[in-house]
Amino acid sequence: MAVAFLNLLAASAISSTDGAVLGACLALAVATLLFIFYIQPDASDLAPHRSKLDQLMERRDTIYDNLRDLRFEFRSGKYSEGDYNAMRVSIENEAAGVLTEIERVTESQVRRARGVRAVETERGER
């Protein structure tokens, strides 16, 4: 097929600029077809997206790890007591905010689930 295309190009009176544009279009078309039909999706593309609760729980675990590391570094003498207390209070405040957000998200999910059950119960009674 490529030989026939080249023979057609040579036989016709297509200028070199037109041939280059035509060749670039053909290469783009081939690359597009290869991408569509032969590139396999990555496993991470098929993974489900994390919910807000999952993200908050991961953040909570990270904060707890940071607090544990801070306590270890203070005990090993890396920080003064004033610096340790200031950083600890900051991390604990951040943890409290994340825990409050987790509670808010879980309560809204529970309310939503109860609301669905209440509607199903009303439909069943009719």
Side-chain angles (χ1 to χ4, degrees):
M1 179 172 188
V3 173
F5 177 72
L6 291 175
N7 286 336
L8 179 66
L9 264 177
S12 67
I14 297 176
S15 69
S16 63
T17 306
D18 291 338
V21 169
L22 188 59
C25 290
L26 182 64
L28 182 62
V30 169
T32 302
L33 291 173
L34 286 174
F35 179 76
I36 291 172
F37 295 110
Y38 292 106
I39 304 287
Q40 298 297 324
D42 191 16
S44 64
D45 294 339
L46 302 175
H49 296 288
R50 297 182 315 153
S51 69
K52 174 84 171 168
L53 183 60
D54 292 336
Q55 293 172 4
L56 287 169
M57 292 181 82
E58 184 177 324
R59 181 70 186 137
R60 178 202 62 189
D61 293 342
T62 302
I63 291 170
Y64 286 161
D65 289 342
N66 290 343
L67 193 56
R68 190 177 316 114
D69 291 344
L70 178 66
R71 190 175 301 123
F72 173 78
E73 291 172 353
F74 170 68
R75 289 180 182 165
S76 66
K78 186 173 182 179
Y79 297 113
S80 68
E81 188 169 345
D83 290 341
Y84 167 73
N85 287 330
M87 287 189 278
R88 181 181 53 83
V89 167
S90 172
I91 292 173
E92 286 175 349
N93 288 338
E94 185 178 358
V98 170
L99 291 174
T100 302
E101 186 69 17
I102 288 173
E103 186 175 324
R104 187 186 63 76
V105 168
T106 54
E107 283 180 2
S108 69
Q109 289 176 351
V110 168
R111 272 190 251 122
R112 194 174 324 135
R114 286 183 183 163
V116 168
R117 280 190 236 131
V119 169
E120 289 173 353
T121 304
E122 288 176 10
R123 288 181 184 167
E125 292 175 357
R126 290 182 183 174

